[in-house]
Every structure is written in C-alpha cells, then in structure tokens.
C-alpha cells in the first residue's frame, strides 16, 4: 500500500461555488490535488474560497489548464465519470471497484486522475475517449442526477473506505470501561432469580426454566460493562425497597 | 431480501435549503421517507422545495414531529449519526457495516430509522441514549466536517451499494414474535423511571439525567420483542410486591 492519492480533475466547471464544495469534499476524505480545465469563472475565485469552508490548502494548490490532455499530462491512468453509458467500448467501474483499481495502480507506482465533466453536461465523447476507464454511480434510475460536489464526495469516500477496509472492525465499543465478566453477570442473574422466586414471579415450576432462559437471553444481549451491571443491581435493590 | 428502506430523521434542522438537499440526496439512492423534529423554519418550506431539485415526492410526504421519541414511535431500530465518540457505551458502525446491519434488520421485519442532528451541533447526549446503535464516518481526522446533505448522501449511497452487493444475502427467518416499537419501549422506560423516582433511586436531581441516559442506553441495546418487554414489566411489578 502507498499513500498516493488520485488527482481530481474538473473539466469546464461552471460555478466557483461548486469548485469550493468539491475541494471540501475531497479534503473530507484526504484528497488534496485538484486541477481545473478552463473553468468558466476566473481563477482564483472568491466564491470557491468561501464554499471550501476551510479546505484552503486544496484551493491554493489548484492548478488550471487549457485542455484535458494537459491536465493529465503526468498521469498514467485516467478515470472518467459519467452518468450515461456510451457507445464507446470501455471498462466501466462502480465507485467501489474503481477505488480498488486505483489503489492497485498506485501500488504499482502509477499516478491516477479522476475526471468530472461540467455541471449540466458531463464529459463529452472526446473526453471519454481519452479515459482509460469509466466510473458510473449506482443511483436511483428514476432520479439519478448527482451534483458535482456529491459525485466527487462519493468517489473520495470510496477511496478512503477501500483503504480502511482491511482494518474495518464491525462492532466497536464507545468507551473504555471494562466489560462485566460472565461470572459477574451470573452473579447478577442468580440474585435476580432468587428475588423473582421470593416475589412469586414464576407462576409454575414447569414454566420456570423457560422463563429463566428468556430473561437470560434478553439480558445477555446487552453486553454490559461492570458499571452498567452495578446500575442493574441498583435498580433491582430500589424496586425492593418499601 | 426485502425492499424496505430506513426512515431518515432530521432533528432540529436549521435551514430549509438543507432539508431540500437531504431530500434530493435520499431520492438519488432510492430513499423516500423523511421526518423532521422541530425544524427551525416553518414547514412546508419554499427553499426546501427549491433545493430538492425535483425530489418533490420526498418533500411532500415529509412529516413533522415535536420530539425525537415521537418521530421514531413506530421504529424498532434507531441509528444515530455522530462525529465525536461519546462516553456512553454503544454499538458503533461505519456507514458500510450500518448498511448491512440495517438490511438484516429489515430482513427480520424490523423498521429502522437513521437520525441526523442539527447542522452545527449534531445529536445531543439525550438523543444518543435513545439510539440502538451509532454510525460514524471514516473522514479525514484533520478535516472531518460533512454537511448535513452529504452525511445523508453517504448513508443513502451505502444502502444502495449494500443492496446491490447483497443479492447473495439469504432471507433470514425471523423469530415469529413481533419486536417492540419505540413507543412501547418508551412506555416501559417511563414507568421504570417513575418507579425509580418513587423508590428514591436517583440520589440527586443533578445526577438524574445522566443516570437516565445510562439506563436507556443499556436497555435499548436489547432490541426487545413485545414479549420480552412484557417480561421486563413483569419483573419490575414482581420486585415492587411485598
């Protein structure tokens, strides 16, 4: 694994605001290199700075080019993003498979770029032809239009996600307090059963084992900390008070 | 597999624009049910309609509630989204593992909701205590603030992504008993708190909110069936007997 990241290229972005929001979305997931091909508005751009909400390093290092070819001159693998499928034969990735592919490219020392077209029109066929592979998003077919920053956000997210996947732990606990041991849990459970016995909770002897199973099965799911177990002891003690 | 989808709940959203962008992000990935808890601006809201960019069906069906508890009254599993980790013990998901978990909940017939806090402040501790599980985003630690619509977008994307992945997930045969709804759980919780109050369990007024949060946070993890909730009612009733 390398810590290389793809370059984000915006071709003919229309609004400075959108460029700023793209910069923010990139930095949210650790991407920093942005290139623009002939933005419609002047660059540097105050509106971009403002919507970047602090992603200043991205905005300040943004480079501007005349053509898409120039913008990717030092890149080995160019990925184009597109909503519609095209007639041209091309490798078509989902954001997820693209993220994996990009990582593999980086692992072999290649430099990558992901290209996004203008807000309304997307990439043109000429741009598509330049791309080594395409990326399409699995959106709702009846309502598929993502805005530019959102499209960049999802790709940036996928890249960080695929980096993290190896260390993705399914369930984590939110704090450091120690968990109750089984013995501590059993201790609570037995005291509870004794109390319930005293209070006539178990209506018949025959039902008792099943009722106990149900109680245990429900309580064990809590995966309690020691502190929480103490709270439960406290609740039971309080209820018995008169 | 079912085609059930989670409900998106926004607690105290500040700006109509953001609500509209959330609706758009939802519909991009096929989510349609939006609920608001006390939005700051009036509802229906023209700015929301305008930024929804055509996601009219989501906006028109949006329901407004006074409290978070009311907004999730018919829900079985509530997921809270949070940027910071909290002291309360909780199940913490990434968007990816949350999406899988939500799908499994739907496969067992449960109804789910994902809750997002206000734009700047996020969810409060009281809200967190209500949640069965939390979701945090794997953002750049040095630049982690996602806007509201982007946070909803990423979760919605993950849900569609995991559905596409999950054609191999088998339908899980659920336990036949129905799960308790949030309203039924609240009913139990409120009766428990009343009893604890009577019995002098809360030592000081100052500690009471935190103690309640801890109790709720621990009990909510059980994800009880109606029958189990009845058992708990029975246990408390038995303990009070003398």
């Amino acid at each position: 694994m390398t810590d290389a990241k793809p370059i984000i290229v915006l071709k003919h972005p229309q609004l400075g605001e959108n460029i700023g929001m793209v910069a923010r979305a990139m930095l949210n997931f650790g991407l920093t290199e942005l290139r623009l091909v002939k933005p419609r508005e002047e660059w540097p751009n105050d509106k971009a700075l403002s919507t970047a909400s602090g992603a200043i390093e991205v905005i300040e290092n943004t480079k501007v080019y005349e053509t898409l070819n120039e913008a990717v001159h030092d890149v080995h693998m160019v990925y184009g993003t597109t909503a519609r499928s095209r007639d041209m034969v091309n490798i078509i990735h989902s954001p997820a498979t693209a993220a994996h592919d990009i990582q593999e490219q980086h692992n072999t020392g290649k430099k990558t770029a992901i290209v996004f077209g203008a807000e309304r029109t997307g990439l043109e066929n000429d741009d598509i032809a330049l791309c080594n592979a395409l990326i399409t998003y699995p959106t709702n077919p009846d309502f598929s239009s993502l805005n530019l920053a959102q499209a960049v956000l999802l790709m940036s997210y996928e890249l960080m996600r695929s980096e993290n996947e190896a260390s993705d732990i399914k369930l984590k606990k939110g704090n450091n307090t120690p968990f109750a041991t089984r013995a501590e849990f059993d201790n609570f459970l037995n005291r509870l059963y004794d109390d319930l016995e005293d209070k006539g909770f178990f209506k018949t002897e025959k039902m008792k084992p099943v009722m106990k199973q149900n109680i245990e099965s429900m309580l064990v799911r809590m995966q309690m900390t020691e502190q929480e177990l103490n709270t439960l002891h406290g609740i039971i003690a309080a209820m018995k008070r008169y």
Side-chain angles (χ1 to χ4, degrees), chain A residues 72-240:
Chain A
V72 297
H73 68 281
D74 55 345
V75 170
H76 305 99
M77 275 292 285
V78 180
Y79 300 79
T81 55
T82 165
R84 305 165 279 135
S85 68
R86 312 291 179 123
D87 283 339
M88 277 168 281
V89 176
N90 227 318
I91 295 168
I92 298 184
H93 281 291
S94 70
T97 63
H100 281 107
D101 194 57
I102 287 168
Q103 227 172 22
E104 282 183 22
Q105 305 297 338
H106 293 170
N107 287 342
T108 58
K110 289 188 198 156
K111 203 161 175 171
T112 64
I114 310 173
V115 185
F116 297 82
E119 285 87 338
R120 290 192 185 278
T121 49
L123 293 176
E124 295 162 60
N125 282 343
D126 275 358
D127 309 323
I128 298 288
L130 178 153
C131 294
N132 300 88
L134 298 183
I135 303 169
T136 64
Y137 292 77
T139 46
N140 176 358
D142 299 327
F143 191 75
S144 63
S145 89
L146 292 173
N147 73 34
L148 185 54
Q150 286 175 329
V152 172
L153 181 82
L154 290 181
M155 232 6 265
S156 309
Y157 167 75
E158 274 291 354
L159 288 158
M160 181 168 278
R161 188 183 189 286
S162 93
E163 267 176 36
N164 286 347
E165 232 164 44
S167 57
D168 207 5
I169 299 161
K170 190 170 179 199
L171 296 183
K172 283 184 276 184
K173 288 290 173 182
N175 74 9
N176 290 326
T177 59
F179 289 97
T181 62
R182 179 68 211 195
E184 287 162 340
F185 179 64
D186 277 338
N187 175 42
F188 170 76
L189 212 52
N190 289 329
R191 285 175 61 179
L192 177 66
Y193 290 159
D194 287 347
D195 284 337
L196 289 174
E197 185 91 61
D198 284 351
K199 303 284 189 180
F201 177 80
F202 302 113
K203 305 244 156 63
T204 68
E205 278 302 309
K206 204 178 150 213
M207 286 299 291
K208 197 155 71 173
V210 174
M211 292 175 87
K212 282 185 176 181
Q213 273 171 16
N214 288 339
I215 291 170
E216 180 175 1
S217 143
M218 144 172 81
L219 292 175
V220 82
R221 289 208 302 274
M222 284 202 265
Q223 301 167 41
M224 280 173 278
T225 63
E226 288 177 1
Q227 203 181 7
E228 289 175 336
L229 197 55
N230 286 338
T231 303
L232 276 193
H233 276 294
I235 289 177
I236 298 300
M239 287 300 163
K240 286 159 61 185

